[in-house]
Amino acid sequence: MTHWFDLEPVGVDFFDTAPHIFTYSIDLTAEPDDVWAGLTADEPLSWCRLLTKVHYTSPRPYGVGTRRIAEVGGGAMQMREKFITWDDETRRHSFYVEQSNVPLVQSFAEDYRVDELAVGSRLQWNFAFSPRPKLSLAVRGGLPVNSLIFSSFVRDTKRHFGSAPRH
């Protein structure tokens, strides 16, 4: 049985104020609607090898308040997520983690925005988190590992949708 640790809820301002923010701007050959469809599919991010499973626990239609569970590294880390923004027209959504089975962070959130380019699209993918106060040194020491994990998501996304040269 998984033991869950509560995390603190955050708003979209957290992507500007969090102690640790990783931002990736990824130019892709795929059309914006195709990228958005992949991000909002029943099993989103299925192309990311380190994400073992991501699935919604809320019924469609998805929107603000939607919940899902993500498993990283064969389930070594599991997160219960709640969406705080969801806009199909602008192709943007973001969530924060309500609970995790690993008690390293106090807050964690992700933000996805898909913009149209002259050819293809740009995915802006932001990760933001704050460590638990007693674990801030351990989390700081693990930042290179976080960077490797997030970078693998970016590489897998480029491989899946096709990487476009910067304009």
Side-chain angles (χ1 to χ4, degrees):
M1 178 117 187
T2 302
H3 182 76
W4 294 100
F5 298 90
D6 292 334
L7 278 69
E8 291 183 4
V10 298
V12 292
D13 61 324
F14 190 64
F15 298 105
D16 297 320
T17 63
H20 302 287
I21 301 169
F22 291 79
T23 299
Y24 300 92
S25 184
I26 313 162
D27 287 357
L28 303 166
T29 57
E31 293 300 313
D33 288 340
D34 294 335
V35 176
W36 182 246
L39 293 172
T40 60
D42 288 335
E43 294 184 18
L45 305 163
S46 61
W47 58 86
C48 293
R49 292 174 288 172
L50 288 179
L51 289 173
T52 311
K53 185 175 185 180
V54 180
H55 67 281
Y56 294 94
T57 57
S58 297
R60 284 191 180 271
Y62 304 140
V64 172
T66 291
R67 288 182 163 84
R68 71 181 187 190
I69 295 177
E71 296 180 6
V72 182
M77 175 177 255
Q78 298 176 39
M79 298 171 288
R80 291 179 173 164
E81 306 165 343
K82 181 179 181 182
F83 282 84
I84 54 176
T85 63
W86 191 298
D87 188 334
D88 289 318
E89 287 185 35
T90 63
R91 293 181 297 265
R92 180 183 183 193
H93 64 21
S94 52
F95 66 83
Y96 69 86
V97 174
E98 293 184 293
Q99 296 180 311
S100 175
N101 68 326
V102 179
L104 289 176
V105 295
Q106 183 171 306
S107 299
F108 183 93
E110 290 183 36
D111 181 57
Y112 307 77
R113 188 175 62 241
V114 182
D115 296 312
E116 186 171 359
L117 298 176
V119 176
S121 58
R122 176 170 293 144
L123 170 60
Q124 183 81 24
W125 196 348
N126 301 305
F127 301 85
F129 60 93
S130 61
R132 293 193 184 270
K134 293 181 180 180
L135 297 173
S136 59
L137 285 177
V139 169
R140 189 173 302 127
L143 288 177
V145 174
N146 286 321
S147 182
L148 287 172
I149 292 169
F150 300 154
S151 293
S152 79
F153 297 163
V154 170
R155 279 191 310 277
D156 291 346
T157 299
K158 288 179 178 179
R159 189 176 303 115
H160 181 76
F161 288 111
S163 181
R166 283 275 178 187
H167 300 292

